[in-house]
């Protein structure tokens, strides 16, 4: 598109929406934004791609889902890290301005979480349920099941991030419920070595440990996911093997960390926490 005025991100998106190949061009810009580490731009463009795909009664493809996840994960990751750092400083220092500054960071991070949750809960999850129920082709239906699990896990992640900041609004229960919905689907449709199923088990166990304060259940879930997967590893091709073992290593790292923390009171477990990368 040729821009009639000095472009900003809103104008670029507005121009793109009117072009015939808007999704393709939008995805090209998303990838450029990723390489430039312009994660806010990535997220704005991916919201446009979601709208355009849904207008055609389509879901995002695997690449689109992953780019949506990467954009928001990086965008919110900075806020989560800042919130944790400032809160840690507040716990060790006195200062009248620190609570206000923490509130600013909390508001910015909360807004990002609520933005992506609106996309997931009002658009992506309802649409994929509709498409999944209408699909007759078994191979295509499996892809839609995987997308459903991916979105449920992602929504669970962002409610978990909200629960890190705000303990009083039921975000912890919402995170758990979404993770469990995904877990039920994954147990029915995905192999124990599937990276989506493993990643979901990893993040659900983190939720139990960090947010719900149920360390025993966190360890049980992580160990069960690891044990179920390791019994099937010899059936995998090299690429699948690499993907599965990467997440299995994170499960094992968490189990080691958690059991060490149980045996050694204190420690900065919050700063050492491992979770899924996507």
């Amino acid at each position: 598109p040729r821009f009639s005025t000095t472009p900003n991100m809103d104008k670029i998106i507005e121009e793109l929406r009117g072009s015939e190949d808007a999704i393709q061009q939008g995805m090209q810009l998303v990838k450029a934004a990723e390489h430039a580490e312009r994660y806010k731009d990535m997220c704005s463009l991916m919201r446009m791609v979601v709208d355009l795909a849904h207008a055609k009664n389509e879901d995002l493809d695997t690449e689109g889902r992953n780019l949506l996840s990467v954009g928001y994960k990086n965008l919110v990751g900075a806020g989560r890290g800042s919130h944790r750092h400032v809160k840690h400083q507040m716990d060790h220092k006195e200062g009248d301005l620190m609570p206000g500054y923490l509130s600013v960071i909390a508001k910015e991070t909360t807004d990002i979480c609520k933005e992506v949750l609106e996309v997931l809960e009002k658009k992506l999850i309802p649409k994929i349920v509709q498409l999944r129920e209408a699909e007759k082709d078994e191979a295509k239906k499996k892809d839609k099941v995987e997308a459903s699990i991916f979105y449920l896990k992602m929504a669970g992640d962002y409610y978990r991030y909200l629960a890190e900041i705000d303990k009083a609004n039921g975000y912890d229960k919402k995170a758990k419920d979404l993770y469990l919905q995904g877990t039920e689907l994954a147990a029915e449709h995905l192999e124990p070595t599937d990276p989506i199923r493993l990643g979901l088990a990893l993040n659900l166990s983190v939720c139990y440990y960090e947010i719900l304060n149920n360390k025993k259940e966190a360890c049980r879930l992580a160990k069960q996911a690891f044990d179920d997967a390791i019994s099937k590893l010899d059936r995998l091709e090299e690429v699948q093997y690499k993907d599965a073992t990467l997440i299995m290593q994170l499960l094992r790292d968490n189990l080691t960390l958690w059991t060490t923390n149980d045996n050694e009171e204190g420690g900065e477990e919050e700063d050492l926490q491992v979770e899924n990368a996507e």
Side-chain angles (χ1 to χ4, degrees), residues 19-81:
S19 64
E20 291 184 6
D21 55 350
I23 292 179
Q24 181 181 352
Q25 290 196 58
M27 290 295 288
Q28 288 176 353
L29 278 181
V30 169
K31 293 172 193 174
E34 180 187 17
H35 288 303
E37 299 183 1
R38 298 270 299 181
Y39 300 115
K40 186 174 181 180
D41 294 345
M42 274 188 82
C43 296
S44 297
L45 288 160
M46 282 308 305
R47 291 198 304 275
M48 179 202 73
V49 171
V50 169
D51 288 343
L52 293 172
H54 283 196
K56 297 170 68 175
N57 199 37
E58 296 174 357
D59 182 44
L60 298 177
D61 60 14
T62 301
E63 181 182 45
R65 292 195 293 268
N66 286 333
L67 287 168
L68 178 75
S69 176
V70 167
Y72 274 105
K73 183 81 170 180
N74 281 282
L75 194 60
V76 83
R80 291 174 67 210

Side-chain angles (χ1 to χ4, degrees), residues 101-112:
Y101 186 44
L102 187 68
S103 296
V104 169
I105 297 169
K107 172 71 165 57
E108 290 178 358
T109 307
T110 295
D111 286 349
I112 295 166

Side-chain angles (χ1 to χ4, degrees), residues 33-231:
E34 180 187 17
H35 288 303
E37 299 183 1
R38 298 270 299 181
Y39 300 115
K40 186 174 181 180
D41 294 345
M42 274 188 82
C43 296
S44 297
L45 288 160
M46 282 308 305
R47 291 198 304 275
M48 179 202 73
V49 171
V50 169
D51 288 343
L52 293 172
H54 283 196
K56 297 170 68 175
N57 199 37
E58 296 174 357
D59 182 44
L60 298 177
D61 60 14
T62 301
E63 181 182 45
R65 292 195 293 268
N66 286 333
L67 287 168
L68 178 75
S69 176
V70 167
Y72 274 105
K73 183 81 170 180
N74 281 282
L75 194 60
V76 83
R80 291 174 67 210
S82 299
H83 189 271
R84 185 178 291 129
H85 179 73
V86 172
K87 192 172 186 303
H88 180 77
Q89 285 188 314
M90 280 179 59
D91 292 340
H92 294 82
K93 297 178 183 177
E94 292 185 6
D96 293 338
L97 296 178
M98 294 293 275
Y101 186 44
L102 187 68
S103 296
V104 169
I105 297 169
K107 172 71 165 57
E108 290 178 358
T109 307
T110 295
D111 286 349
I112 295 166
C113 291
K114 289 183 176 179
E115 180 180 276
V116 66
L117 283 166
E118 182 173 359
V119 175
L120 288 161
E121 293 188 302
K122 292 187 177 180
K123 298 177 182 179
L124 289 169
I125 292 174
K127 174 58 70 175
I128 199 62
V129 169
Q130 176 193 345
L131 293 172
R132 193 178 82 218
E133 290 174 350
E135 185 60 66
K136 304 301 182 186
D137 184 282
E138 285 302 314
K140 292 179 180 177
K141 196 177 188 99
K142 183 176 186 296
D143 180 68
K144 290 174 173 58
V145 169
E146 290 179 356
S148 298
I149 297 165
F150 184 97
Y151 293 142
L152 288 166
K153 172 193 167 292
M154 191 171 170
D157 287 341
Y158 284 89
Y159 274 111
R160 173 162 59 89
Y161 303 156
L162 286 172
E164 290 174 349
I165 294 170
D166 182 352
K167 312 289 187 189
N169 276 306
Y171 297 135
D172 53 350
K173 183 179 184 302
K174 190 70 177 173
K176 183 180 86 166
D177 289 347
L178 285 158
Y179 282 142
L180 290 176
Q181 286 178 50
T183 299
E184 186 176 341
L185 265 180
E188 183 179 353
H189 296 282
L190 302 182
E191 289 293 325
T193 51
D194 188 287
I196 297 174
R197 178 170 169 176
L198 282 168
L200 176 57
L202 174 62
N203 284 16
L204 175 58
S205 65
V206 170
C207 185
Y208 270 106
Y209 191 90
E210 282 198 331
I211 305 300
L212 301 170
N213 200 30
N214 187 338
K215 299 179 180 181
K216 184 176 180 181
E217 181 66 5
C219 291
R220 186 194 71 77
L221 283 166
K223 186 176 187 307
Q224 180 180 331
F226 184 92
D227 290 346
D228 288 348
I230 206 165
S231 66

